[in-house]
Amino acid sequence: MTGDMVRELAAALDAADRERARLQDALDVTTAAYQRRTRQARQWRDLARGLSDDLRQARAARDQAISTSQRLRVGLVAARERLAGREGAGR
């Protein structure tokens, strides 16, 4: 092998090493971005689940409040009728 061939091979090897380093850096950056987005997606999913649970609880509380209000309304109507009956019977 001549000195020129050795220098060309060394230059090609250096260029290949630089390209490998560049690609490794790009892979590292891409991997870090993927991991960040994956963590963020997990956080959003957990937040969505929490909000969904809160929404279910709020709906259950609303339904309970409606039921209680209806029972109170029925009781109030019945009490008014009993009161009207007593007043009518007392006359």
Side-chain angles (χ1 to χ4, degrees):
M1 234 182 222
T2 66
D4 288 341
M5 291 173 72
V6 170
R7 280 189 290 279
E8 287 176 21
L9 288 173
L13 181 59
D14 288 343
D17 283 343
R18 284 192 302 274
E19 181 65 7
R20 183 206 51 78
R22 185 189 69 76
L23 291 172
Q24 184 62 50
D25 289 345
L27 177 62
D28 292 345
V29 168
T30 303
T31 301
Y34 171 78
Q35 290 171 345
R36 266 192 317 275
R37 287 185 178 108
T38 300
R39 277 192 305 275
Q40 190 176 42
R42 250 182 281 156
Q43 290 171 344
W44 288 344
R45 183 193 64 221
D46 293 344
L47 178 61
R49 283 181 181 159
L51 291 173
S52 180
D53 291 343
D54 292 347
L55 181 58
R56 268 193 292 281
Q57 290 174 355
R59 285 179 176 160
R62 178 204 59 197
D63 292 346
Q64 181 64 40
I66 289 170
S67 176
T68 299
S69 174
Q70 288 171 341
R71 284 194 315 272
L72 290 172
R73 190 171 291 120
V74 168
L76 180 60
V77 168
R80 283 180 180 160
E81 289 173 356
R82 283 193 303 273
L83 183 60
R86 286 186 199 149
E87 288 178 356
R91 288 184 192 179

